[in-house]
Amino acid sequence: MSDKRDEATPTSADETVTVVLDRTVVFDRPRRLGPPFLAAERLAAKGRRGPVFTDVSFSAELGQLVAVSGDGGDGRTSLLLALAGRFALSDGTLVVEGQSRPAEIRRRFTVAQAAPAIGLDGRLTVADCIAETVTVSGGAATEANIRAWLDRLAVDVDTGDTLALLPRFERVRFAIACAAASRTPAVVVDDVDAGLNGAGGERVFENLRAVADAGQLVLVSCARHDPPADVVVDLRTRSMARPPRLEADLDRNGGPP
């Protein structure tokens, strides 16, 4: 049901193998004329311990769901943040809606969660998180729009609930709803299936598909090998070498200028 679009062969034990699968045909999504909304060409990044990810190439449109699949330490979070203009690239070309400057790319993305650098404060209540989302979005997200997305995704939370005390399943879906309500062209959600059972993971992907179907480009990372996405970027290495862990290399101040 899927075909291999791009495979990068490692030239040393320190490099990863990146496989990109384009599954748009499975979902019968028409491609618009002209350049894609997001075009990534041979992206690579380095951290203090060496390569984080290498040779990532794919394109994506508004209304699509893109999943970055890999194990912990494979570079999933760094790649998501790089695609959103928040992690410095060492090589390659990234163009989002005709823009290549990181500052311009960042304006087109809302990052729902990307631990440990970005995420809602677990100490806050649901009501506080809603108010914070409205403020951070500059008013693009309204309380009414957030509540509409919570209803649409059937997120079962009360305004007085403390976020950290909610089940992982509801915390992830609450973050997705807040990001969707921010109304940027694209959203990023890291570790969408972490701590979830099979049924919970499927529900989360159904919610992500609902956001994509509403017109936004949705970029996510996950551990599962075969996520139900239009495009799958597989960061797992085929050699015995493991890429360095990436968390220590995250720029907590928002990435490159």
Side-chain angles (χ1 to χ4, degrees):
M1 293 292 291
S2 61
D3 63 304
K4 188 181 295 184
R5 270 188 55 194
D6 177 85
E7 182 171 327
T9 303
T11 57
S12 73
D14 293 328
E15 293 185 353
T16 64
V17 174
T18 299
V19 178
V20 179
L21 304 177
D22 187 340
R23 296 177 175 165
T24 305
V25 64
V26 176
F27 295 93
D28 195 26
R29 294 181 179 277
R31 295 186 181 275
R32 66 185 178 90
L33 298 177
F37 176 80
L38 182 151
E41 182 68 26
R42 304 187 72 84
L43 301 185
K46 295 179 180 178
R48 290 190 293 270
R49 303 178 188 178
V52 178
F53 56 82
T54 62
D55 206 15
V56 176
S57 299
F58 72 95
S59 62
E61 302 285 0
L62 296 176
Q64 286 190 310
L65 173 58
V66 177
V68 177
S69 176
D71 299 320
D74 277 351
R76 299 177 310 191
T77 303
S78 288
L79 177 55
L80 283 189
L81 293 179
L83 293 169
R86 289 170 169 83
F87 191 91
L89 294 167
S90 60
D91 199 7
T93 303
L94 175 65
V95 179
V96 178
E97 203 175 25
Q99 302 294 324
S100 59
R101 294 182 62 246
E104 291 298 324
I105 293 174
R106 284 198 294 271
R107 293 177 55 193
R108 289 158 170 79
F109 281 86
T110 295
V111 180
Q113 61 181 29
I118 302 172
L120 296 170
D121 190 339
R123 297 168 297 181
L124 299 179
T125 65
V126 166
D128 291 335
C129 289
I130 290 174
E132 184 179 75
T133 298
V134 173
T135 299
V136 171
S137 72
T142 65
E143 183 173 345
N145 199 24
I146 294 171
R147 291 185 182 279
W149 269 108
L150 292 173
D151 289 342
R152 183 170 187 172
L153 303 183
V155 180
D156 185 17
V157 295
D158 293 323
T159 55
D161 290 339
T162 300
L163 192 64
L165 299 181
L166 293 174
R168 165 72 179 171
F169 174 66
E170 297 295 5
R171 293 202 308 271
V172 173
R173 299 192 319 125
F174 177 72
I176 293 169
C178 288
S182 295
R183 295 190 287 187
T184 50
V187 299
V188 165
V189 193
D190 191 24
D191 286 336
V192 295
D193 57 354
L196 301 180
N197 59 25
E202 290 296 335
R203 284 283 305 278
V204 168
F205 269 100
E206 289 173 5
N207 290 158
L208 295 167
R209 174 61 65 189
V211 176
D213 285 345
Q216 290 170 297
L217 170 62
V218 180
L219 303 178
V220 306
S221 74
C222 62
R224 62 185 292 180
H225 291 253
D226 191 26
D230 299 315
V231 178
V232 178
V233 181
D234 194 337
L235 294 178
R236 290 179 177 86
T237 178
R238 291 185 180 181
S239 68
M240 295 300 293
R242 301 286 295 175
R245 292 194 65 81
L246 57 91
E247 288 82 0
D249 297 311
L250 290 176
D251 184 348
R252 298 171 184 271
N253 295 318

